[in-house]
Amino acid sequence: MSPRLTLVTVARVLRQLTRDHRTLGLLLVVPVVLMCLLAWIYADGVLFERVGPVLLTVFPFVVMFVVTSVATLRERTSGTLERLLTTPLGKADLVLGYALAFGLLAVVQGAVVTAVSVWLLGLDTAATSAWLVLVVVASGVLGTSLGLLASAFAATEFQAVQLMPATVLP
């Protein structure tokens, strides 16, 4: 395993994702929109403060699981993975590179959705905002990790999405 090759993989994955506006929208906009809808539905505030923090951790988990598993499966089904493995890049460099790239996106996603929920939507929790960000980011990183794991077992994107309830519900 080479740190340089791992960082090159991180840069390649991040470059690909910055060019894909739909995926960036799914990562950054969808959790924010879902929290806004949740705040609007529970407009009285009391129920939003009970349900909001829980769903604030569930949304990034689910989104990161889907995006990570589908992206890594797409690499495998499109033949990119085979071409990459003919280079000096090792399997550990590839997996760690994907984990770091999507982990970084989970950090950004967690910070954005928590900031909007706390400061714009007025979500109030017993914990500090820093703890809330930490839990939301950890949830997104867990979704990334389980998405990578699911992509190792699934042969198609549809199978990866079918594995989601088995990981999200427990």
Side-chain angles (χ1 to χ4, degrees):
M1 192 171 98
S2 165
R4 187 183 72 75
L5 292 175
T6 302
L7 291 177
V8 167
T9 303
V10 170
R12 181 185 65 82
V13 171
L14 290 176
R15 257 192 326 272
Q16 284 178 334
L17 287 172
T18 55
R19 291 182 190 138
D20 187 2
H21 300 293
R22 289 177 290 184
T23 302
L24 284 178
L26 179 65
L27 286 171
L28 299 175
V29 177
V30 168
V32 170
V33 169
L34 289 173
M35 287 306 293
C36 289
L37 286 172
L38 191 66
W40 178 65
I41 289 170
Y42 301 122
D44 65 352
V46 176
L47 195 53
F48 178 63
E49 289 180 5
R50 290 185 80 166
V51 177
V54 174
L55 292 178
L56 185 61
T57 59
V58 170
F59 294 151
F61 176 87
V62 170
V63 170
M64 291 308 297
F65 180 92
V66 169
V67 170
T68 304
S69 61
V70 168
T72 52
L73 274 167
R74 193 166 288 153
E75 293 278 348
R76 193 169 60 199
T77 57
S78 69
T80 306
L81 183 60
E82 288 82 13
R83 288 192 304 267
L84 285 173
L85 292 177
T86 60
T87 66
L89 183 72
K91 290 179 183 177
D93 293 319
L94 182 75
V95 172
L96 188 58
Y98 266 86
L100 289 174
F102 282 106
L104 180 65
L105 288 171
V107 169
V108 171
Q109 178 192 55
V112 168
V113 73
T114 305
V116 168
S117 298
V118 170
W119 290 301
L120 184 66
L121 302 176
L123 181 64
D124 188 28
T125 61
T128 64
S129 297
W131 279 110
L132 189 60
V133 168
L134 182 68
V135 171
V136 171
V137 166
S139 174
V141 170
L142 179 63
T144 297
S145 302
L146 292 175
L148 285 170
L149 181 67
S151 69
F153 290 108
T156 64
E157 296 169 12
F158 183 65
Q159 287 177 354
V161 172
Q162 286 178 323
L163 289 172
M164 189 175 58
T167 58
V168 173
L169 294 179

